[in-house]
Amino acid sequence: MKVPTYQAQTGLAADVGARPMRVRATAEAFGAAEARAMGGLAQQVGDTALELNRRQREAAELEAKIQRDLQNEQFTNQYMEVVTLASEEAALQPPDQQESFYDNAIQNIQKEIPQRFEDPIQQQELSLSLERYAISRRVNVRASANKARLESLVGESAKREMTLRNEAINGDFATSQRAIADLQQIYIDLEEKGLMTDEDVAKRSAQMVKDVQYEREINVANRIKTTEEAEAFVNRIRNDERFDPTERRQLMGTVSGVLSKRNEERKAGKAKLKDDIASLRDVIATGIEVPQEQLDAVNLELKAYG
């Protein structure tokens, strides 16, 4: 093996007529080339390591994101089911408790978020998502509660209306007038709460007064006992402008029916009285003493039937 002398060497180029070429090899030139090669290799290795690290980091971040999204989705499905169930159960509560029942259920779910998730951002995202869904369902809860309140109010008003109507029909004149005034106030209250219109109140009040007057006349007709009373009632009702022709005919028909019933009862009573007197005569004929109370009762029946 020849050791380089580092002296200039002259050679000929391969081409004929070419100019002579001189190459000078030095230790400095050889060392610089090696350094550049090693530096390039180191740079390549470094770049590769950085790229690998970047990819590993991206893969880890992607995996973490997938895991996070999966957790979010699972929790979202759970709270949507719980919220929906809470809204349905709230509808079963008393009207004044439905909204608070629902709100308490939502608060319990909100409290669970920081217990299950450590990331503050994730907590905030889930909390906002839950709140949005809860608000959308709460609209139905409030509508249900309002409907239940109105139904309860209407039900209470209906019960009160029936009580006052009975007082207006069967009470004395003063009681009847007071009950009618209270009935009209019920309708006004319902109008103020948006359950009746002004036109509805006017119609309902007018019909209520007319119904009360009609039923009070029915009560009068049912108390009639004599033909004279029946005739007086018919003459009064025949031209009574409070009632239409059909209602007047019905009232007069009621009197006729009541009078017929009274006559039948009178005939039956007379026949029974005759039988009772005949029985008493038979008892007296035997010499048995008849109690004075029994004699007094028969005497009253005789006076009643004339």
Side-chain angles (χ1 to χ4, degrees):
M1 177 176 181
K2 292 182 179 182
V3 177
T5 59
Y6 301 103
Q7 294 179 355
Q9 298 180 2
T10 303
L12 296 177
D15 297 334
V16 178
R19 294 177 63 189
M21 296 180 61
R22 288 185 174 86
V23 177
R24 185 181 296 273
T26 65
E28 292 79 4
F30 180 81
E34 184 180 39
R36 284 194 297 273
M38 292 300 294
L41 179 61
Q43 179 68 33
Q44 184 177 0
V45 171
D47 292 343
T48 301
L50 290 174
E51 178 66 17
L52 180 60
N53 183 58
R54 183 183 66 79
R55 292 184 180 183
Q56 289 176 340
R57 186 174 61 253
E58 290 179 351
E61 292 175 352
L62 178 60
E63 182 179 358
K65 182 178 184 303
I66 292 174
Q67 185 64 28
R68 172 184 170 134
D69 292 344
L70 179 60
Q71 292 175 344
N72 289 358
E73 184 177 359
Q74 290 176 342
F75 183 75
T76 299
N77 292 336
Q78 290 175 2
Y79 80 61
M80 289 179 68
E81 183 177 353
V82 173
V83 170
T84 301
L85 181 61
S87 65
E88 293 173 352
E89 291 181 348
L92 303 178
Q93 308 304 314
D96 293 337
Q97 300 177 17
Q98 291 185 16
E99 293 182 76
S100 60
F101 178 92
Y102 178 80
D103 292 341
N104 288 334
I106 303 306
Q107 290 176 3
N108 291 334
I109 304 174
Q110 288 280 16
K111 292 177 182 178
E112 188 178 346
I113 294 177
Q115 298 175 1
R116 294 183 55 177
F117 305 95
E118 297 180 357
D119 184 3
I121 297 178
Q122 189 176 16
Q123 293 177 8
Q124 186 176 10
E125 290 176 351
L126 290 172
S127 179
L128 292 175
S129 176
L130 167 62
E131 185 176 350
R132 285 193 296 269
Y133 185 71
I135 290 174
S136 68
R137 298 294 300 185
R138 198 181 194 285
V139 173
N140 296 333
V141 173
R142 173 163 292 180
S144 174
N146 289 338
K147 180 180 178 181
R149 291 190 189 98
L150 294 179
E151 288 178 350
S152 177
L153 177 61
V154 171
E156 293 174 359
S157 298
K159 292 179 181 178
R160 178 63 174 157
E161 182 183 31
M162 291 299 296
T163 299
L164 291 172
R165 189 174 183 275
N166 183 63
E167 293 177 2
I169 291 172
N170 300 308
D172 57 29
F173 182 77
T175 299
S176 178
Q177 293 301 305
R178 176 188 56 77
I180 289 175
D182 290 344
L183 280 167
Q184 292 173 332
Q185 185 60 47
I186 287 179
Y187 305 144
I188 293 174
D189 292 342
L190 291 176
E191 179 187 5
E192 292 177 351
K193 292 178 173 63
L195 299 177
M196 295 180 67
T197 64
D198 183 62
E199 183 180 359
D200 292 335
V201 171
K203 289 181 179 179
R204 186 73 170 269
S205 297
Q207 187 61 48
M208 178 270 299
V209 171
K210 188 175 183 179
D211 291 344
V212 167
Q213 292 173 342
Y214 182 85
E215 293 296 333
R216 286 181 70 85
E217 293 296 346
I218 290 290
N219 288 344
V220 173
N222 287 328
R223 290 193 293 266
I224 289 175
K225 296 180 179 179
T226 66
T227 303
E228 291 75 16
E229 291 177 347
E231 291 177 351
F233 181 88
V234 169
N235 290 334
R236 179 171 62 83
I237 292 298
R238 182 178 287 114
N239 298 314
D240 194 330
E241 295 298 332
R242 295 177 302 171
F243 310 111
D244 59 41
T246 299
E247 291 169 332
R248 291 197 290 268
R249 286 194 297 271
Q250 289 173 344
L251 288 170
M252 290 186 286
T254 299
V255 172
S256 177
V258 169
L259 196 57
S260 296
K261 182 179 178 180
R262 294 281 187 270
N263 290 334
E264 293 297 327
E265 291 174 349
R266 189 178 184 84
K267 290 179 182 179
K270 285 184 177 181
K272 182 179 181 299
L273 180 57
K274 289 180 180 180
D275 292 340
D276 292 343
I277 292 174
S279 297
L280 284 175
R281 285 173 179 166
D282 293 340
V283 172
I284 293 172
T286 63
I288 298 175
E289 183 177 356
V290 178
Q292 185 62 42
E293 292 82 0
Q294 188 174 358
L295 292 174
D296 291 342
V298 172
N299 186 44
L300 287 176
E301 290 187 61
L302 285 170
K303 290 180 179 179
Y305 292 112

